[in-house]
Amino acid sequence: MSRFPIPLSAPHLTGDELPALRRAIESNWIAPVGPEVDAFEAEFAEAMGGGHALATTSGTAALHLALRVLGVAAGDEVLVSTLTFCASVNPVLYLGATPVFVDAERRSWNMDPALLAQELDRRGRNGQLPAAVIVVHLFGQMAEMNPILERCRHWGVPVVEDAAEALGARYGSAGDPVRWAGTMGDVGIFSFDGSKLLTTSMGGMLVSPRRERVALARKLARQAREPVAHYEHEEMGYNYRMSNLLAAFGRAQLPALDQRVAQRRAVFDAYREGLTGLPGIHFQPEASWGLHTRWLTAIQVDPERSGTTRERLRTRLLSQGVESRPVWKPMHQQPVYRRLGFAALGGAVADELFEEGLCLPSSSSLSPEDVQGICAIIRQEVSGD
Ligand SMILES: *Cc1c(COP(=O)(O)O)cnc(C)c1O
């Protein structure tokens, strides 16, 4: 194999980052806000087919702002996918609201639309509607948005898309107008953490089709300063704007979006080829309703049929310098939230995907030889050599 150790998901630079940083530094705009931030937001919104965008310090910050903009406040309840990273949930707690976790379904590993609909109908009839629903698009694949949006709109519940892992994912079959992950709900958020498909080292983006929502988020992200000469504050804000330097970095990354998606999908194809015929190894399915970016290639290890377990396979890979990671431990199983006694709707599917799910190295810079080498280790483990 060409490179050890092999990380799960490495940053992939275009080569334009250094000149972009130099340009930003030479302009002496060393601040959050500045011309690079304005340009990054405009270019990002355009890449997403329109709407409005706000660059933030992180995806978590963007989600916090999204919930504030939608009016989520102390005492409210928010329904959120249980199979996700804690960053999808913590902003709910920052606001003193309560999360209710919703199980995944097997076709996409994302929020189960039928379970959500059932819960919204029950709550709607009892006058207990949640303040928002946060739908997470896991590992680069969108949840089944049409039925989710239909039910949420029926009951007037706003939808936040956590598209941190799904930049570049699409909804709709070939021939339909393209609808990007993050642009279908009321507010969408993205992450430019170092492990994500595109990166600014750290950073995030909030998008919305509604100008006034992004304008409010923009104000809150700079300590909610009122538009007067002195510092005047009528409400509590945050310090969440992206640095002008990192926005320049992001502008150098953005043009590579389509290429990165194609490269991640090529990595997945190489795994699929390298693991064909192996018993008890199943990939996260690509659902019929959209394009999976394969930000991460994830497999499910059936212990009966494969003769091994997710954990044995992970340890074997690690001993050969290959980093893999269990699928997210569901939020309803996390001690921090269990202690607080948050409710969960179902959870058995997410539990199984955590027990048996493993994310394989998926960097867009991974070579076919690297993938072949990793597949060889998996084959050894599964065939019991
Ligand atoms: C990465 C990630 C986030 C948070 O993004 P940061 O930029 O790291 O704050 C939120 N949700 C999900 C599902 C993520 O994977």
Side-chain angles (χ1 to χ4, degrees):
M1 220 175 296
S2 54
R3 293 175 304 134
F4 284 102
I6 296 186
L8 187 73
S9 180
H12 192 171
L13 300 194
T14 61
D16 295 332
E17 289 84 1
L18 209 48
L21 279 173
R22 175 178 292 277
R23 176 183 74 222
I25 290 167
E26 284 173 354
S27 75
N28 208 37
W29 275 98
I30 315 296
V33 313
E36 300 287 345
V37 177
D38 296 342
F40 188 33
E41 290 172 350
E43 288 160 10
F44 190 87
E46 195 187 310
M48 293 293 108
H52 306 274
L54 173 77
T56 59
T57 48
S58 70
T60 311
L63 184 55
H64 192 184
L65 291 169
L67 295 176
R68 261 299 290 278
V69 161
L70 294 172
V72 174
D76 284 342
E77 287 184 296
V78 175
L79 303 189
V80 54
S81 314
T82 195
L83 191 60
T84 185
F85 179 45
C86 68
S88 307
V89 176
N90 282 334
V92 176
L93 274 69
Y94 299 165
L95 292 168
T98 303
V100 175
F101 302 122
V102 184
D103 201 1
E105 48 98 359
R106 293 176 191 284
R107 293 167 306 161
S108 70
W109 299 11
N110 285 312
M111 183 185 281
D112 182 338
L115 195 59
L116 176 74
Q118 201 182 20
E119 179 68 2
L120 285 178
D121 290 351
R122 187 186 71 77
R123 285 169 168 268
R125 284 192 302 268
N126 298 337
Q128 294 172 331
L129 285 169
V133 172
I134 302 172
V135 182
V136 180
H137 302 314
L138 205 67
F139 302 145
Q141 167 154 271
M142 291 180 72
E144 194 181 14
M145 288 304 285
N146 277 347
I148 291 174
L149 287 173
E150 187 278 320
R151 227 49 217 149
C152 288
R153 295 212 163 118
H154 174 85
W155 289 111
V157 176
V159 175
V160 179
E161 288 181 78
D162 179 346
E165 301 181 0
L167 177 57
R170 275 172 266 168
Y171 197 81
S173 1
D176 291 348
V178 175
R179 284 178 300 171
W180 300 100
T183 68
M184 294 181 72
D186 296 280
V187 185
I189 71 101
F190 300 89
S191 167
F192 302 118
D193 175 77
S195 68
K196 298 288 169 29
L197 191 99
L198 298 185
T199 184
T200 58
S201 83
M202 77 177 284
M205 194 72 81
L206 174 149
V207 300
S208 175
R210 283 180 40 189
R211 178 188 297 277
E212 72 277 11
R213 287 203 162 127
V214 177
L216 176 56
R218 179 167 279 120
K219 178 185 170 192
L220 292 172
R222 287 209 87 196
Q223 308 290 17
R225 186 180 175 186
E226 296 297 328
V228 294
H230 65 275
Y231 280 88
E232 178 84 9
H233 311 276
E234 288 180 16
E235 56 192 327
M236 182 192 70
Y238 313 90
N239 186 6
Y240 278 172
R241 291 303 305 272
M242 180 180 276
S243 143
N244 196 59
L245 298 186
L246 297 188
F249 197 105
R251 291 182 70 197
Q253 285 266 302
L254 191 56
L257 177 58
D258 290 346
Q259 196 190 3
R260 294 290 178 264
V261 171
Q263 287 163 329
R264 297 256 175 183
R265 285 181 62 88
V267 166
F268 167 77
D269 288 339
Y271 277 118
R272 196 173 45 188
E273 206 183 296
L275 298 177
T276 5
L278 213 53
I281 302 289
H282 308 284
F283 291 97
Q284 179 190 16
E286 180 162 20
S288 57
W289 55 76
L291 179 92
H292 193 329
T293 67
R294 300 291 179 182
W295 168 62
L296 292 184
T297 288
I299 57 172
Q300 189 176 354
V301 182
D302 176 340
E304 251 106 83
R305 297 196 53 234
S306 70
T308 185
T309 64
R310 179 262 279 161
E311 205 41 30
R312 288 220 299 275
L313 179 56
R314 190 186 69 78
T315 319
R316 173 100 165 214
L317 287 164
L318 193 62
S319 72
Q320 312 264 328
V322 176
E323 183 191 18
S324 63
R325 192 179 297 154
V327 162
W328 300 120
K329 180 171 181 174
M331 295 300 108
H332 68 267
Q333 282 203 43
Q334 295 290 351
V336 57
Y337 307 133
R338 284 183 78 111
R339 267 201 300 278
L340 293 164
F342 299 141
L345 305 169
V349 175
D351 287 345
E352 180 191 306
L353 293 172
F354 167 58
E355 285 304 321
E356 301 183 356
L358 189 67
C359 299
L360 300 174
S362 305
S363 308
S364 41
S365 51
L366 214 57
S367 70
E369 296 72 40
D370 291 331
V371 177
Q372 277 165 21
I374 296 165
C375 289
I377 302 171
I378 298 173
R379 287 190 161 275
Q380 280 167 6
E381 176 60 30
V382 171
S383 59
D385 293 355

